[in-house]
Every structure is written in structure tokens, then in C-alpha cells.
Amino acid sequence: MRVSNRRIGLVVALVAGLLAVLVACGGGGGSVGTNGTGSPVLVGLNVGTVSGLGSVIVDGARYDDSAAKTEVSRNGTDVEVGDVRLGHRVSLEFGADANGAKVLQRIELVPSVSGRISERTGDTVGVLGQTVAVNTDPARGPVTAFEAPLNSLADLQLGDAVDVHALMQRTGAAPTDVRLVATRITRRSALAGVRVSGTVAALSAAGSGGARSFRLGALTVQLPSSSALQPQGIELLDGRAVTVFAAESAFDPATLHLDASKVQVMSIGTAGSGSTGAASTLSRAGLVGVWTGTSFELDGVGLLVNADTQIVSAGQPLGDGAYVQATAVLNSNGRWLATRIERLGSATAGAELRGTLDDWSATARTFSLRDTLVTLAPTAQIDLAACRAPSLADDLYVVVKGVATAQGLTASTVVCSPEPAGTKSRLERRGLVLTVDPTARRLTMRRRPGDPVLTVTWAESVYLGEPLTVAALVALAGTSSEIEVEGTLSADWLQMAARKIKLHSADR
């Protein structure tokens, strides 16, 4: 599991993000309400799928992530530093800088389900009672990405621990009529807990001692009276989107029952509860389910459609299974009303990466960029003029555009450019570790003999790629194992403030 040395309480992180949104006066779709508790609750959610890196690109929209922290919660209480990859589902939280400009402050990784595979068929797997399918057609949404060493669903076995980022699609009215179409699947070495997201169905009345239960797909969630329900004061209702957290031992694969330790409810606030008095807003991309022409479900959220809804569908009628981006506001009845629905298809299925090229193979016509395997298409256009380079080579800074695949990205264009300067530019360096001072959080490294020595510093919140730890980093000094560091460089290019440190892929 990839964790930082610092774990901070999820509540603290959420409050910090919410206060930032308050300061932003609702900028970026982050309206704030009180939900009856007197405390601010984020009610405007920007949720989508990562389609590019080097700045983060979500469903084709680019956001400067230089000031953003990336986090993920495994157990609903603690958060860990995360690392964004193509195909991750993310929730974006915005604030404002000193000049009032909109700033991305937090990227939360939101896997749809984290647990062990307990069922499988030829083309699906079952995780915590959720049916997980894959997609290979970019016209039908993001192609399922498999994190190495996985290449396909066939590489997964019963009992494997996985994180599944996915689009949830409602296929019918019954609680079990739901499926997850994976956007990225990662096999994990261990689980700190399990989590699953979905829409509450078949909620029971409170029984003896206040215990209740509800359905998420084929899963029955038992909610003992001791379970925490957040935000405080929220009411659990059928149709509300939730994330359930539990201990791994709390799941019974034979009966598909899960005893929840915590349920996080997507708060919807009230109409016009934003800090500017405007209606709460929501932006979400996903697969249309149970389309009626006047309503539909999108990634676990019910939306209404009326004559004022702007529909951009490129000549194709909307219906079940369509991959769309929807913007909605909360109406006077507390329902989400779609103001705009845009169909996302092949024309918006492109992927983009910016960064330092590594592991170039002229024979295989492949290289690594932003932890992604890039394969040159047979007709790929390569422009190296700005770098005055005779051919592709390691250490060139490139902008790659193409189409995401199960194993990475197939490039249609590769354009070389000088490395961007400034503290907003995330750059990469690879090399041998010379010295490490864990107390000062500082190391020195060099790619080749005779190269300048790079001094790298890091904060507690640095992302350390599995299996790297600070102790393991110390042990690398003077060895032949290389590390990769991502961060911002000083004006003299000799110092780097690291955001991520990991072993070079050849060493893993």
C-alpha cells in the first residue's frame, strides 16, 4: 500500500477543504451549506475520470494541480497521500488564491470499491457484491486501464485485493440492477479496510437497538447502531449516494453481507444554500442509467431533466449507457435538476501526458511518461524541433497526445519542448542515491558520473511509491538502484522539492 509517513484525520482534511471553499465564495462549483448542523458541508461535487497528467485533466478539462494535495481514505477515518493515474475517478475541491482566482486545492481519489475478488465469470469479477465489468471501446467511455503488472481481467484471481475505479450504471429498478464499468483496476498487496460506493436501496426501518440495513447492488449493508453516519445530522434515505467503510473481516462473501463501521452520505444541502445565495451545483461525468426523458441516474445520483436543460449530444440521442458530463443545480424540492448534459464520445476520448521521457526503446517504440507506458502508433507524428534533438531519447520533456489503452497510452503525436520553469511545473528526475539525511528529509542524487548533483528535499506529505519507505530510501545510498523523483526545481536546476519519490520501474 502506498502511504506517506503522515496520516491525518479525514474530518480535519474535509473541514480544511470546506473552509477553503467558503473562502472561495462558491467558486468552481463548491457551494457550501450547513445541512442543519451549523457546520459547513460541501454540497457541490466535481467528480470525473482522469484523462491526462502534467496538470491534471479530468474528462478533457485541464486543471492546474500545482497547489493541490492528493489524498485517499482507506478506512473512512485516516487519509493517505495519493498519486493520480490515468483512469482514476477523482473528486475535485476548489478554493481561491489571494487575488480571488479559482484554485484546485484537493484531489480526492474515489475508488468505487476496494476489497477482495470473491466471484468471477469470463468477463466480470465480483467485489463486495458489486459486479465489475471492463470497457474496451472509447466511444462508450474511458477504456479500462490495468495497473502493472496487470494486463487484463484474466490476470486477476479469486482472493486478490483490488482497488476498482469505475463508472456506476443503473440498469433497472431493482436494487441489484447496477454494475460497475471499471476505469482503472489496481491489485494491492494488502487492505487497511474495505470501501464501497453506491446508491441506498431497500433501507429498512430501525430494528432492535436502532440497527438498520440497506442494499448496494447485491450487497446487504448492515448498519449497527454503533456505526458512524456522516456528516453529523444527515438522514439516510433511499436514493442517496453513499460510501460505506468497514473492516475487511466484516464482509461475508457467502451471504454478501457487510457490517459497516462508517457510512459517508453525499450531502445535498438545500436549494440556494450556497455561500453566495446561489443554488448548490454539481458536476459529474458517468454512464446514463434508467433514462426516461425527464429523469435519469448518473453515477449514483438521480437527476431531473426539463425543457430548459441544454443537451449537447452531437446528433446522437441520449439513453441508457451514454457517457455524459452533466451539470445540475438543486431545485426547490431538493432534487438535482440538470442544466446541461453533454455526451462524451470518441471525440473527447483522447488522453494527454506531459513530462520527462524515460526508458525509451527504439526497437519496441515505447517509453515511460508519468508512470504510464506510451507506445508510438505506426503513424505517430514526432516533432523534436524545439529541443533540437535528432531523435527521441531519455530526459526529453515532451507533450504526448493519443488514446488510452488497457496498458497505457498509444501516442498519435509527440512534441518536444524545453522544460517549463517556475514552481507550478512538476518535473521528473531519475538517478542513483548518493546520500540521505532522514532527519532533515534531504537526499542527494545523480543520474550519471560527471552530472551535477541534485539535492532533493521532501515534506512529511511526500508520496512514497510502494515498497519504498524512508528507511528503505536510506538503505539505497551508494547502491546501484535508481529512484525517480517528481517535484519542482529551483532556478539553478540543482535543488528539487519533491512531491513523489519512488523506485525506478526497472528495480521493482
Coordinates of all heavy atoms in Angstrom, one line a residue, residues 374-418:
V374 N 3.9 4.4 -22.8 CA 3.5 5.0 -24.0 C 4.0 4.2 -25.2 O 5.2 3.9 -25.3 CB 4.0 6.5 -24.1 CG1 3.6 7.1 -25.4 CG2 3.4 7.3 -22.9
T375 N 3.1 3.9 -26.1 CA 3.5 3.1 -27.3 C 3.2 4.0 -28.5 O 2.1 4.6 -28.6 CB 2.7 1.8 -27.5 OG1 2.9 1.0 -26.3 CG2 3.1 1.1 -28.7
L376 N 4.2 4.2 -29.4 CA 4.0 5.0 -30.6 C 3.1 4.3 -31.6 O 3.4 3.2 -31.9 CB 5.3 5.4 -31.2 CG 6.3 6.2 -30.4 CD1 7.6 6.5 -31.2 CD2 5.7 7.5 -29.9
A377 N 2.1 5.0 -32.1 CA 1.3 4.5 -33.1 C 2.1 4.4 -34.4 O 3.1 5.2 -34.6 CB 0.0 5.3 -33.4
P378 N 1.8 3.5 -35.4 CA 2.6 3.4 -36.6 C 2.7 4.7 -37.3 O 3.7 5.0 -38.0 CB 1.9 2.3 -37.4 CG 1.2 1.5 -36.4 CD 0.8 2.4 -35.3
T379 N 1.7 5.5 -37.2 CA 1.6 6.8 -38.0 C 1.9 8.0 -37.0 O 1.6 9.1 -37.4 CB 0.3 7.0 -38.6 OG1 -0.8 6.9 -37.6 CG2 0.0 5.9 -39.7
A380 N 2.5 7.8 -35.8 CA 2.7 8.8 -34.9 C 3.6 9.9 -35.5 O 4.6 9.7 -36.1 CB 3.3 8.3 -33.6
Q381 N 3.2 11.2 -35.2 CA 3.9 12.3 -35.6 C 4.8 12.8 -34.5 O 4.4 13.0 -33.4 CB 3.0 13.5 -36.1 CG 2.1 13.1 -37.2 CD 1.2 14.2 -37.6 OE1 1.2 15.3 -37.0 NE2 0.3 14.0 -38.6
I382 N 6.1 12.9 -34.8 CA 7.1 13.3 -33.8 C 7.7 14.6 -34.2 O 8.3 14.8 -35.3 CB 8.2 12.2 -33.6 CG1 7.5 10.9 -33.2 CG2 9.2 12.6 -32.6 CD1 8.5 9.7 -33.2
D383 N 7.7 15.6 -33.3 CA 8.2 16.9 -33.5 C 9.2 17.2 -32.4 O 8.9 17.5 -31.3 CB 7.1 18.0 -33.5 CG 7.6 19.4 -33.8 OD1 8.8 19.6 -33.9 OD2 6.7 20.3 -33.9
L384 N 10.5 17.2 -32.8 CA 11.6 17.5 -31.9 C 12.3 18.8 -32.1 O 13.4 19.1 -31.5 CB 12.6 16.3 -32.0 CG 12.1 14.9 -31.8 CD1 13.2 13.9 -32.0 CD2 11.5 14.8 -30.4
A385 N 11.7 19.6 -33.0 CA 12.4 20.9 -33.4 C 12.7 21.8 -32.2 O 13.8 22.4 -32.2 CB 11.5 21.6 -34.4
A386 N 11.8 21.9 -31.3 CA 12.0 22.9 -30.2 C 13.2 22.4 -29.3 O 13.7 23.3 -28.6 CB 10.7 23.0 -29.4
C387 N 13.5 21.1 -29.3 CA 14.5 20.6 -28.4 C 15.8 20.5 -29.2 O 16.9 20.1 -28.6 CB 14.2 19.3 -27.8 SG 12.7 19.4 -26.7
R388 N 15.8 20.6 -30.5 CA 16.9 20.4 -31.4 C 17.6 19.1 -31.1 O 18.8 18.9 -31.1 CB 18.0 21.5 -31.1 CG 17.5 22.9 -31.5 CD 18.5 24.0 -31.3 NE 18.0 25.3 -31.6 CZ 18.7 26.4 -31.4 NH1 20.0 26.4 -31.0 NH2 18.2 27.6 -31.7
A389 N 16.7 18.1 -31.0 CA 17.1 16.7 -30.7 C 17.0 15.9 -32.0 O 16.1 16.0 -32.8 CB 16.3 16.1 -29.6
P390 N 18.0 15.0 -32.3 CA 18.0 14.3 -33.5 C 17.0 13.1 -33.5 O 16.5 12.7 -34.5 CB 19.4 13.7 -33.6 CG 19.9 13.7 -32.2 CD 19.3 14.8 -31.5
S391 N 16.7 12.6 -32.3 CA 15.7 11.5 -32.1 C 15.2 11.5 -30.7 O 15.7 12.2 -29.8 CB 16.4 10.2 -32.5 OG 17.4 9.9 -31.6
L392 N 14.2 10.7 -30.5 CA 13.7 10.5 -29.1 C 14.7 10.0 -28.2 O 15.5 9.1 -28.7 CB 12.4 9.6 -29.1 CG 11.1 10.2 -29.7 CD1 10.0 9.1 -29.7 CD2 10.7 11.4 -28.8
A393 N 14.8 10.4 -27.0 CA 15.8 10.0 -26.1 C 15.3 10.2 -24.6 O 14.5 11.1 -24.4 CB 17.2 10.6 -26.3
D394 N 15.9 9.5 -23.7 CA 15.6 9.8 -22.3 C 15.9 11.2 -21.9 O 16.8 11.8 -22.5 CB 16.4 8.8 -21.4 CG 15.8 7.4 -21.4 OD1 14.9 7.2 -22.1 OD2 16.4 6.6 -20.7
D395 N 15.1 11.8 -21.0 CA 15.3 13.1 -20.4 C 14.7 14.2 -21.2 O 14.8 15.4 -20.8 CB 16.8 13.4 -20.1 CG 17.4 12.4 -19.1 OD1 16.7 11.9 -18.3 OD2 18.6 12.1 -19.2
L396 N 14.2 13.9 -22.4 CA 13.5 15.0 -23.1 C 12.1 15.3 -22.5 O 11.4 14.4 -22.0 CB 13.2 14.6 -24.6 CG 14.5 14.4 -25.5 CD1 14.1 13.9 -26.8 CD2 15.3 15.7 -25.5
Y397 N 11.8 16.6 -22.4 CA 10.4 17.0 -22.0 C 9.5 17.0 -23.1 O 9.7 17.7 -24.1 CB 10.5 18.3 -21.3 CG 9.2 18.7 -20.6 CD1 8.9 18.3 -19.3 CD2 8.2 19.5 -21.3 CE1 7.7 18.7 -18.7 CE2 7.0 19.8 -20.7 CZ 6.8 19.4 -19.4 OH 5.6 19.7 -18.9
V398 N 8.4 16.2 -23.0 CA 7.5 16.0 -24.2 C 6.1 16.2 -23.8 O 5.7 16.0 -22.6 CB 7.7 14.6 -24.9 CG1 9.1 14.5 -25.5 CG2 7.5 13.5 -23.8
V399 N 5.3 16.5 -24.8 CA 3.8 16.5 -24.7 C 3.3 15.4 -25.6 O 3.5 15.5 -26.8 CB 3.2 17.9 -25.0 CG1 1.7 17.9 -24.9 CG2 3.8 19.0 -24.2
V400 N 2.6 14.5 -25.0 CA 2.1 13.3 -25.8 C 0.6 13.3 -25.8 O -0.1 13.5 -24.8 CB 2.6 12.0 -25.2 CG1 2.0 10.8 -25.9 CG2 4.1 12.0 -25.2
K401 N 0.0 13.2 -27.0 CA -1.4 13.0 -27.1 C -1.7 11.7 -27.9 O -1.0 11.3 -28.8 CB -2.0 14.2 -27.9 CG -1.9 15.5 -27.1 CD -2.5 16.7 -27.9 CE -2.4 18.0 -27.1 NZ -3.0 19.1 -27.8
G402 N -2.8 11.1 -27.5 CA -3.2 9.8 -28.1 C -4.4 9.3 -27.5 O -5.3 10.0 -27.0
V403 N -4.5 8.0 -27.4 CA -5.7 7.3 -26.9 C -5.3 6.3 -25.8 O -4.3 5.6 -25.9 CB -6.4 6.5 -28.1 CG1 -7.6 5.7 -27.5 CG2 -6.8 7.4 -29.2
A404 N -6.0 6.4 -24.7 CA -5.7 5.5 -23.6 C -6.1 4.1 -23.9 O -7.0 3.8 -24.7 CB -6.5 5.9 -22.3
T405 N -5.2 3.1 -23.5 CA -5.5 1.7 -23.7 C -5.4 1.0 -22.3 O -5.2 1.6 -21.3 CB -4.4 1.1 -24.6 OG1 -3.1 1.2 -23.9 CG2 -4.2 1.9 -25.9
A406 N -5.7 -0.3 -22.4 CA -5.7 -1.1 -21.1 C -4.3 -1.0 -20.4 O -4.2 -1.1 -19.2 CB -6.1 -2.5 -21.4
Q407 N -3.2 -0.9 -21.2 CA -1.9 -1.0 -20.6 C -1.2 0.4 -20.6 O -0.1 0.5 -20.1 CB -1.0 -1.9 -21.4 CG -1.3 -3.4 -21.2 CD -2.5 -3.8 -22.0 OE1 -2.7 -3.4 -23.1 NE2 -3.4 -4.6 -21.4
G408 N -1.8 1.5 -21.1 CA -1.2 2.8 -21.1 C -1.8 3.7 -22.1 O -3.0 4.0 -22.0
L409 N -1.0 4.2 -23.0 CA -1.4 5.2 -24.0 C -0.8 4.9 -25.3 O 0.5 4.7 -25.4 CB -1.1 6.6 -23.5 CG -1.6 7.8 -24.3 CD1 -1.8 9.0 -23.4 CD2 -0.5 8.2 -25.4
T410 N -1.5 4.9 -26.4 CA -1.0 4.9 -27.8 C -0.9 6.3 -28.3 O -1.9 6.9 -28.5 CB -1.9 4.0 -28.7 OG1 -1.9 2.6 -28.1 CG2 -1.3 3.9 -30.1
A411 N 0.3 6.7 -28.6 CA 0.6 8.1 -28.9 C 0.4 8.4 -30.4 O 0.9 7.6 -31.3 CB 2.0 8.5 -28.6
S412 N -0.4 9.4 -30.7 CA -0.5 9.9 -32.1 C 0.4 11.0 -32.4 O 0.8 11.2 -33.5 CB -2.0 10.3 -32.4 OG -2.4 11.3 -31.5
T413 N 0.7 11.8 -31.4 CA 1.7 12.9 -31.5 C 2.6 13.0 -30.3 O 2.2 12.8 -29.2 CB 1.0 14.3 -31.7 OG1 0.3 14.6 -30.5 CG2 0.1 14.3 -32.9
V414 N 3.9 13.3 -30.6 CA 4.9 13.5 -29.5 C 5.6 14.8 -29.9 O 6.2 14.9 -30.9 CB 5.9 12.4 -29.4 CG1 6.9 12.7 -28.3 CG2 5.2 11.1 -29.1
V415 N 5.5 15.8 -29.0 CA 6.1 17.1 -29.3 C 7.0 17.4 -28.2 O 6.7 17.5 -27.0 CB 5.0 18.3 -29.4 CG1 5.7 19.6 -29.6 CG2 4.0 18.0 -30.5
C416 N 8.3 17.7 -28.5 CA 9.3 18.0 -27.5 C 9.3 19.5 -27.3 O 9.1 20.3 -28.2 CB 10.7 17.5 -28.0 SG 12.0 17.7 -26.8
S417 N 9.6 19.9 -26.1 CA 9.7 21.3 -25.7 C 10.6 21.5 -24.6 O 10.9 20.6 -23.9 CB 8.3 21.9 -25.4 OG 7.8 21.3 -24.2
P418 N 11.2 22.7 -24.4 CA 12.1 23.0 -23.3 C 11.3 22.8 -22.0 O 10.1 23.0 -21.9 CB 12.5 24.4 -23.5 CG 12.3 24.7 -24.9 CD 11.1 23.9 -25.3

